[in-house]
Amino acid sequence: MTGPAGTAVAPPVARSEAAVRLTEVSKLYRRGRTTVQALDGISLMVHPGEVVCLVGASGCGKSTLLSLVAGLDQPSAGSVFTGTVPPALMFQDAALFPWLTAARNVELPLRARGVSKRERRDRVAELLHTVRLSDFADARPHQLSGGMRQRVALARALAQDADTLLMDEPFGALDAMTRDHLHAELERVTTECGLTVLFVTHNVGEAVRLGDRVVLLSSRPGRVIADIAVPIERPRRIDTTEVAELAAVITGRLHTAAGRDDAG
Ligand SMILES: Nc1ncnc2c1ncn2[C@@H]1O[C@H](COP(=O)(O)OP(=O)(O)O)[C@@H](O)[C@H]1O
Ligand SMILES: [Mg+2]
């Protein structure tokens, strides 16, 4: 493309092209004299509305990658793009304030943004309805089950009005039945709200159940070893042959990569 004075002009980049884009991202942690390279040359693009699951062994840099996308830390090299609205983040631990009711916990991001009292009340009611917890607005976290606490955490994340939701093993501590239920709930909520999701898990079946794509990271340092589109129609169930077969293929690739690392 050529500009008015014959200068090269980059083609216009559509604003909606990427919700999250990492370009050649590396991250080194220094501990005294030793340096740990957590990530090496990660390039990854997540399109708006897409659900991308990131899988890899414990310690391969998944949480590091999410913290960079969340803007909690800076890469040692490369760049991270997330658009103008900071992404919302959800962890394995719901991290609710124990002395606040579910409604008050959900209300926090709205208060932080200076939303008016009346608008806050309506929005909290709407968000609790979205996560099917309208009847538990006045319950405190210790009165809720683990799955319910994660739904409160999800409502609180939604209250940030972010376009992108970053989830770090959010269902890792839940029993299988609760987790299956929350998979369906998450799918419904993210579709309803048109959210982009970057979901970290070491559970390959969960990644195949949820993801439009599954991105595999190698261990020490984390590199992208494969980026696999999941061709399985929705709604999906984690306990089907299709999901199990693709999960087995992915697990095999992770083991092969781990074997190469050990040999090298
Ligand atoms: N703040 C930190 N300081 C030093 N090393 C860290 C820090 N955070 C993570 N690491 C190291 O970086 C590597 C990746 O960690 P992490 O991103 O937590 O992996 P994962 O989430 O995949 O289990 C590990 O070797 C871990 O010990
Ligand atoms: Mg982690």
Side-chain angles (χ1 to χ4, degrees):
M1 234 173 145
T2 320
T7 49
V9 174
V13 177
R15 282 189 73 82
S16 59
E17 189 186 323
V20 175
R21 186 170 47 234
L22 287 86
T23 311
E24 290 295 320
V25 166
S26 296
K27 179 68 184 175
L28 292 113
Y29 289 112
R30 279 176 230 290
R31 271 194 213 134
R33 287 194 187 171
T34 56
T35 304
V36 177
Q37 176 150 24
L39 299 172
D40 181 26
I42 304 268
S43 290
L44 174 67
M45 166 117 135
V46 184
H47 299 97
E50 209 175 16
V51 179
V52 173
C53 293
L54 210 56
V55 294
S58 175
C60 78
K62 302 181 297 295
S63 295
T64 298
L65 194 153
L66 274 202
S67 72
L68 297 178
V69 177
L72 299 175
D73 203 352
Q74 301 301 312
S76 309
S79 65
V80 177
F81 163 89
T82 57
T84 46
V85 186
L89 190 53
M90 218 183 124
F91 304 97
Q92 182 167 327
D93 178 353
L96 304 174
F97 288 104
W99 60 88
L100 295 179
T101 63
R104 290 277 184 196
N105 270 287
V106 174
E107 192 186 17
L108 286 173
L110 304 171
R111 275 181 180 270
R113 282 211 310 280
V115 174
S116 73
K117 193 172 174 185
R118 190 199 181 121
E119 208 179 315
R120 284 204 309 265
R121 195 191 53 207
D122 293 351
R123 187 89 174 99
V124 167
E126 189 186 305
L127 287 166
L128 287 173
H129 176 75
T130 301
V131 298
R132 309 268 202 254
L133 281 181
S134 298
D135 293 342
F136 294 87
D138 298 324
R140 290 181 204 278
H142 74 273
Q143 297 170 309
L144 301 172
S145 68
M148 287 163 130
R149 284 198 289 272
Q150 281 307 64
R151 283 197 270 158
V152 176
L154 177 59
R156 185 182 55 185
L158 296 174
Q160 291 180 40
D161 273 340
D163 306 321
T164 300
L165 188 55
L166 308 174
M167 308 182 87
D168 196 351
E169 314 213 19
F171 308 140
L174 302 176
D175 63 85
M177 259 174 67
T178 306
R179 188 199 55 200
D180 292 353
H181 181 58
L182 282 180
H183 285 160
E185 291 285 285
L186 175 68
E187 203 158 66
R188 176 182 61 75
V189 168
T190 53
T191 309
E192 263 174 35
C193 304
L195 289 173
T196 306
V197 181
L198 187 53
F199 188 105
V200 160
T201 177
H202 60 260
N203 180 336
V204 179
E206 175 170 61
V208 173
R209 159 70 183 86
L210 289 174
D212 295 314
R213 280 159 53 209
V214 179
V215 173
L216 282 55
L217 290 188
S218 64
S219 305
R220 284 170 282 122
R223 296 193 185 102
V224 175
I225 49 178
D227 187 334
I228 296 167
V230 181
I232 305 167
E233 260 185 58
R234 295 181 197 272
R236 297 178 191 153
R237 285 173 46 125
I238 201 164
D239 55 1
T240 56
T241 316
E242 278 172 299
V243 168
E245 279 177 357
L246 183 53
V249 170
I250 291 176
T251 303
R253 291 187 73 161
L254 286 170
H255 283 309
T256 307
R260 269 202 302 269
D261 287 350
D262 290 342

